[in-house]
């Protein structure tokens, strides 16, 4: 089985973290997100992964790490963004000769891709869309379907749930199995959206959907990125981290002062250090080599590799970028600092992105 993974987006909602690192290699529990996705694809029997990218391709290549055994990864670079369908076409033509998986490359989950492939084959479908249940459909593409899984219509980001039946609502999870014939329906040379232009054309022509109840989260906003990190450590999504509720995962090469307070779920990666009297957790990931100085507090946050939180500073519900610095007594709340950025000593950032 071949999988095309869409990773060409600029990740604008996750700036400044995505200004110099593409979203798919940002860390979840200290591991590049794409490595976790490759684990999942390997478990589903995928042997070749084509990464369809355009934004920061070199950083993407560098950030992927070593693929799991038996998985070959090819990076295909678009000259300009082609949209979700255009990108699938660009990556798949000439490389697939049977049904293949196509995935949005920014969804953390643990649903079984193998089950989606099996349902597609059993139904003899042209295209199959994986679905996930949500309680609030307004940010998603709702897929209205019958009891047999035949898609009836799509409702993109509805203003409310009127006319959509009872909760939960089943939305497009960004995972598809496509017959190669679908590629012929995608015009070349312009941006084409698979959700808005291709799937509606396929209604009544072999388009099915498959429900899955597993964990599902698009990591594309600051809030969801932080939640995904916490969920991975807490084991709410199954990953190689082996997290569990209230887990305290400390790499043997990290140093934690005896009187530091560490509240799980928390992960402290290789070479990180936590100073005396500091309070770290819950829902915190301290990246490799990051430091939390004495008497600082970090809650509900992610420190990327090499980030530094100075003495008596407070970081809450925030992401601190690679080698970024939070100065002494600074307060960083609901905010994000990009690579090498700083919050000055005593400064207060609330709901800010730096650079904005
Ligand atoms: P935002 O700018 O914050 O909306 O994020 P994004 O750029 O990632 O866009 P979005 O979340 O809508 O994209 C969903 C998935 O499709 C992501 O994995 C993107 O990387 C990918 N994607 C979106 N547009 C393109 C494109 O034109 N080409 C490729 N190759 N991938 C794309």
């Amino acid at each position: 089985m071949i999988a095309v993974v869409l990773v060409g987006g600029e990740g604008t909602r996750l700036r400044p973290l995505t200004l110099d690192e593409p979203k798919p290699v940002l860390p979840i529990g200290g591991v590049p997100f794409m490595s976790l996705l490759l684990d999942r694809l390997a478990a589903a029997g995928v042997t070749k992964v084509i990464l369809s990218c355009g934004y920061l391709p070199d950083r993407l290549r560098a950030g992927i790490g070593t693929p799991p055994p038996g998985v070959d990864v090819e990076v295909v670079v678009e000259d300009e963004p082609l949209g979700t369908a255009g990108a699938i076409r660009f990556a798949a033509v000439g490389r697939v000769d049977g049904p293949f998986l196509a995935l949005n490359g920014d969804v953390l989950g643990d649903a079984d891709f193998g089950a989606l492939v099996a349902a597609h084959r059993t139904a003899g479908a042209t295209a199959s869309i994986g679905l996930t249940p949500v309680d609030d459909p307004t940010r998603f593409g709702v897929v209205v379907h019958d009891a047999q899984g035949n898609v009836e219509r799509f409702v993109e980001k509805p203003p409310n749930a009127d006319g959509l039946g009872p909760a939960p609502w089943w939305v497009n999870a960004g995972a598809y199995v496509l017959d190669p014939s679908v590629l012929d329906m995608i015009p070349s040379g312009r941006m084409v959206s698979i959700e808005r232009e291709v799937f509606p054309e396929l209604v009544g022509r072999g388009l099915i959907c498959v429900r899955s109840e597993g964990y599902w989260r698009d990591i594309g906003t600051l809030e969801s990125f932080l939640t995904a990190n916490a969920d991975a450590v807490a084991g709410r999504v199954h990953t190689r981290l082996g997290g569990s509720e209230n887990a305290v995962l400390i790499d043997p090469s990290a140093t934690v002062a005896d009187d530091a307070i560490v509240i799980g779920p928390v992960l402290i990666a290789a070479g990180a250090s936590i100073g005396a009297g500091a309070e770290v957790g819950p829902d915190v990931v301290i990246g490799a080599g990051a430091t939390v100085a004495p008497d600082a507090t970090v809650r509900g946050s992610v420190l990327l590799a090499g980030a530094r939180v100075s003495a008596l500073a407070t970081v809450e519900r925030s992401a601190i970028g690679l080698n970024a610095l939070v100065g002494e007594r600074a307060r960083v709340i609901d905010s994000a600092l990009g690579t090498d950025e700083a919050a000055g000593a005593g400064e207060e950032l609330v709901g800010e992105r730096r650079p904005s």
Side-chain angles (χ1 to χ4, degrees):
M1 178 57 66
I2 292 179
V4 172
V5 184
L6 297 178
V7 288
E10 292 189 17
T12 52
R13 290 165 299 157
L14 206 41
R15 286 180 186 163
L17 301 180
T18 45
L19 288 175
D20 41 21
E21 289 290 319
K23 184 165 55 175
V25 296
L26 288 177
I28 299 292
V31 179
F33 166 76
M34 188 50 62
S35 300
L36 301 180
L37 184 59
L38 291 176
D39 287 351
R40 243 177 112 192
L41 289 168
V46 170
T47 52
K48 174 156 178 113
V49 176
I50 305 166
L51 296 181
S52 166
C53 78
Y55 180 65
L56 303 176
D58 295 336
R59 295 298 311 144
L60 185 80
R61 279 194 192 92
I64 294 168
T66 311
V71 178
D72 173 41
V73 176
E74 182 182 0
V75 177
V76 176
V77 184
E78 298 159 23
D79 289 334
E80 55 188 330
L82 296 171
T84 45
I88 292 171
R89 181 182 191 279
F90 183 73
V93 167
R95 294 187 177 85
V96 300
D97 58 5
F100 62 99
L101 272 163
L103 308 173
N104 278 0
D106 59 357
V107 174
L108 180 68
D110 51 19
D112 178 11
F113 294 132
L116 183 60
V117 174
H120 178 91
R121 291 212 165 108
T122 304
T126 308
S128 304
I129 305 175
L131 304 184
T132 192
V134 296
D135 294 327
D136 171 11
T138 57
R139 290 189 301 121
F140 302 102
V142 179
V143 182
V144 181
H145 54 284
D146 69 16
Q148 284 71 46
N150 297 302
V151 176
E152 293 173 339
R153 63 192 168 97
F154 296 93
V155 187
E156 261 313 304
K157 299 189 176 73
N160 52 52
D162 292 354
L164 295 176
W169 295 283
W170 291 87
V171 302
N172 180 339
Y176 320 117
V177 180
L178 306 176
D179 187 82
S181 63
V182 174
L183 300 174
D184 300 333
M185 298 173 55
I186 302 170
S188 59
R190 67 171 175 89
M191 280 189 90
V192 186
S193 156
I194 197 154
E195 303 89 335
R196 283 187 283 278
E197 296 184 58
V198 179
F199 288 149
E201 285 285 305
L202 279 168
V203 171
R205 296 165 57 198
L207 180 64
I208 66 160
C209 57
V210 181
R211 294 179 173 191
S212 174
E213 306 257 4
Y215 180 94
W216 185 90
R217 179 171 294 279
D218 155 2
I219 62 164
T221 64
L222 178 60
E223 192 190 6
S224 64
F225 172 73
L226 297 174
T227 305
N229 269 279
D231 287 348
V233 179
R236 288 186 278 267
V237 53
H238 299 111
T239 69
R240 66 164 82 162
L241 298 176
S244 59
E245 210 186 325
N246 304 325
V248 175
L249 306 175
I250 304 178
D251 187 274
S253 66
T255 50
V256 179
D258 288 344
D259 62 350
I261 301 168
V262 178
I263 307 165
V266 66
L267 182 146
I268 301 174
S273 79
I274 311 296
E279 185 181 318
V280 173
D283 297 328
V284 163
V285 175
I286 306 291
T291 56
V292 178
D295 301 316
T297 303
V298 182
R299 296 192 193 104
S301 297
V302 174
L303 271 52
L304 274 69
R308 289 160 294 155
V309 176
S310 305
L312 294 159
T314 300
V315 176
E316 279 182 23
R317 297 183 302 277
S318 296
I320 310 300
L322 293 172
N323 303 316
L325 174 67
V326 177
E328 266 189 42
R329 294 179 192 274
R331 284 169 49 80
V332 177
I333 317 286
D334 295 318
S335 296
L337 291 183
T339 302
D340 296 330
E341 292 291 331
E347 205 179 347
E348 180 154 311
L349 261 63
V350 180
E352 273 190 51
R353 307 286 178 110
R354 183 167 286 176
S356 57

